[in-house]
Coordinates of all heavy atoms in Angstrom, one line a residue:
A7 N 8.7 54.1 -31.7 CA 7.7 55.1 -32.3 C 6.3 54.6 -32.1 O 5.4 55.3 -31.7 CB 8.0 55.3 -33.8
T8 N 6.1 53.3 -32.4 CA 4.7 52.7 -32.2 C 4.3 52.7 -30.7 O 3.2 53.0 -30.4 CB 4.7 51.3 -32.8 OG1 5.0 51.3 -34.2 CG2 3.3 50.7 -32.6
D9 N 5.2 52.3 -29.9 CA 4.9 52.2 -28.5 C 4.6 53.6 -27.9 O 3.6 53.7 -27.1 CB 6.1 51.7 -27.7 CG 6.3 50.1 -27.8 OD1 5.3 49.5 -28.3 OD2 7.3 49.6 -27.4
E10 N 5.3 54.6 -28.3 CA 5.0 56.0 -27.8 C 3.7 56.5 -28.4 O 2.9 57.2 -27.7 CB 6.2 56.9 -28.2 CG 7.4 56.7 -27.4 CD 8.5 57.8 -27.7 OE1 8.1 58.9 -28.0 OE2 9.7 57.5 -27.5
L11 N 3.4 56.1 -29.6 CA 2.1 56.5 -30.2 C 0.9 56.0 -29.4 O 0.0 56.7 -29.0 CB 2.0 56.0 -31.6 CG 0.7 56.3 -32.3 CD1 0.5 57.8 -32.5 CD2 0.7 55.6 -33.7
F12 N 1.0 54.7 -29.1 CA -0.1 54.1 -28.3 C -0.1 54.6 -26.9 O -1.2 54.7 -26.3 CB 0.0 52.5 -28.3 CG -0.4 51.9 -29.7 CD1 0.4 51.0 -30.3 CD2 -1.6 52.3 -30.2 CE1 0.0 50.4 -31.5 CE2 -2.0 51.7 -31.4 CZ -1.2 50.8 -32.1
L13 N 1.1 54.8 -26.3 CA 1.1 55.3 -24.9 C 0.4 56.7 -24.8 O -0.3 57.0 -23.9 CB 2.6 55.5 -24.4 CG 3.2 54.2 -23.9 CD1 4.6 54.5 -23.4 CD2 2.4 53.7 -22.7
R14 N 0.7 57.5 -25.9 CA 0.0 58.9 -25.9 C -1.5 58.7 -26.0 O -2.2 59.6 -25.4 CB 0.7 59.7 -27.0 CG 2.1 60.2 -26.6 CD 2.6 61.3 -27.5 NE 3.7 61.9 -26.9 CZ 5.0 61.5 -27.0 NH1 5.2 60.4 -27.8 NH2 6.0 62.1 -26.4
Q15 N -1.9 57.7 -26.7 CA -3.4 57.5 -26.7 C -3.9 57.1 -25.4 O -5.0 57.5 -25.0 CB -3.7 56.5 -27.8 CG -3.5 56.9 -29.2 CD -4.0 55.9 -30.2 OE1 -5.1 55.4 -30.2 NE2 -3.1 55.6 -31.2
A16 N -3.1 56.3 -24.6 CA -3.5 55.9 -23.3 C -3.6 57.1 -22.4 O -4.5 57.2 -21.5 CB -2.5 54.9 -22.7
I17 N -2.6 58.1 -22.5 CA -2.6 59.3 -21.7 C -3.9 60.1 -22.0 O -4.5 60.7 -21.1 CB -1.3 60.1 -22.0 CG1 -0.1 59.3 -21.4 CG2 -1.4 61.5 -21.4 CD1 1.2 59.9 -21.8
E18 N -4.2 60.2 -23.3 CA -5.5 60.9 -23.7 C -6.7 60.3 -23.0 O -7.6 61.0 -22.6 CB -5.6 61.0 -25.2 CG -4.6 61.8 -25.9 CD -4.8 61.8 -27.4 OE1 -5.7 61.2 -27.9 OE2 -3.9 62.3 -28.1
L19 N -6.7 59.0 -23.0 CA -7.8 58.3 -22.3 C -7.9 58.6 -20.8 O -8.9 58.9 -20.2 CB -7.7 56.8 -22.5 CG -8.1 56.2 -23.9 CD1 -7.6 54.8 -24.0 CD2 -9.6 56.3 -24.1
A20 N -6.7 58.7 -20.2 CA -6.6 59.0 -18.8 C -7.2 60.3 -18.4 O -7.8 60.5 -17.4 CB -5.1 58.9 -18.3
E21 N -7.0 61.3 -19.3 CA -7.6 62.6 -19.1 C -9.1 62.6 -18.9 O -9.6 63.5 -18.3 CB -7.2 63.6 -20.2 CG -5.7 64.1 -20.2 CD -5.5 65.2 -19.2 OE1 -6.5 65.6 -18.5 OE2 -4.4 65.6 -19.0
R22 N -9.7 61.6 -19.5 CA -11.2 61.6 -19.4 C -11.7 61.3 -18.0 O -12.9 61.6 -17.7 CB -11.7 60.5 -20.4 CG -11.5 60.9 -21.8 CD -11.8 59.8 -22.8 NE -13.2 59.4 -22.7 CZ -13.8 58.5 -23.5 NH1 -13.0 57.7 -24.3 NH2 -15.1 58.3 -23.4
G23 N -10.8 60.9 -17.1 CA -11.2 60.7 -15.7 C -10.7 61.8 -14.8 O -10.8 61.7 -13.6
R24 N -10.2 62.8 -15.4 CA -9.5 63.9 -14.7 C -10.4 64.5 -13.6 O -9.9 64.8 -12.5 CB -9.1 65.0 -15.7 CG -8.7 66.3 -15.0 CD -7.4 66.3 -14.3 NE -6.3 66.2 -15.3 CZ -5.0 66.1 -14.9 NH1 -4.7 65.9 -13.6 NH2 -4.1 66.1 -15.8
F25 N -11.7 64.7 -13.8 CA -12.5 65.4 -12.9 C -13.2 64.5 -11.9 O -14.0 65.0 -11.0 CB -13.6 66.2 -13.6 CG -13.1 67.2 -14.7 CD1 -13.8 67.5 -15.8 CD2 -11.8 67.8 -14.5 CE1 -13.3 68.4 -16.7 CE2 -11.3 68.7 -15.4 CZ -12.0 69.0 -16.5
T26 N -13.0 63.2 -12.0 CA -13.8 62.3 -11.1 C -13.0 61.3 -10.4 O -13.6 60.6 -9.5 CB -14.9 61.6 -12.0 OG1 -14.2 60.9 -13.0 CG2 -15.9 62.6 -12.6
C27 N -11.8 61.0 -10.7 CA -11.1 59.8 -10.1 C -10.4 60.0 -8.8 O -9.9 59.1 -8.2 CB -10.2 59.2 -11.2 SG -8.7 60.2 -11.5
A28 N -10.2 61.2 -8.4 CA -9.4 61.5 -7.1 C -10.1 60.8 -5.9 O -11.4 60.6 -5.9 CB -9.3 63.0 -6.8
P29 N -9.4 60.3 -5.0 CA -7.9 60.5 -4.8 C -7.0 59.6 -5.6 O -5.8 59.7 -5.5 CB -7.8 60.2 -3.3 CG -8.8 59.1 -3.0 CD -10.0 59.5 -3.8
N30 N -7.6 58.7 -6.4 CA -6.8 57.9 -7.3 C -6.2 58.7 -8.4 O -6.8 59.8 -8.8 CB -7.6 56.7 -7.9 CG -8.0 55.7 -6.8 OD1 -7.5 55.7 -5.7 ND2 -8.8 54.8 -7.2
P31 N -5.1 58.3 -9.0 CA -4.5 59.0 -10.1 C -5.3 58.8 -11.4 O -6.0 57.7 -11.5 CB -3.1 58.4 -10.2 CG -3.3 57.0 -9.7 CD -4.3 57.1 -8.6
C32 N -5.2 59.7 -12.4 CA -5.8 59.4 -13.7 C -4.9 58.3 -14.4 O -3.7 58.4 -14.4 CB -5.7 60.7 -14.5 SG -6.5 62.1 -13.8
V33 N -5.6 57.4 -15.0 CA -4.9 56.3 -15.7 C -5.7 55.9 -16.9 O -7.0 55.8 -16.9 CB -4.8 55.0 -14.8 CG1 -3.9 54.0 -15.6 CG2 -4.1 55.4 -13.5
G34 N -5.0 55.7 -18.0 CA -5.7 55.3 -19.3 C -5.0 54.0 -19.8 O -3.8 53.8 -19.5

């Protein structure tokens, strides 16, 4: 439960690079 909670926060961080990071993938 804790691991998934923190992972989802990492995914939210990754979204912040959505419009600028290509061709690399979004990563948080």
Side-chain angles (χ1 to χ4, degrees):
T8 300
D9 283 348
E10 288 188 26
L11 176 65
F12 284 132
L13 277 180
R14 287 194 164 87
Q15 290 186 50
I17 293 169
E18 290 178 8
L19 284 167
E21 282 283 359
R22 295 172 63 181
R24 167 69 76 183
F25 303 149
T26 57
C27 69
N30 290 351
C32 303
V33 184

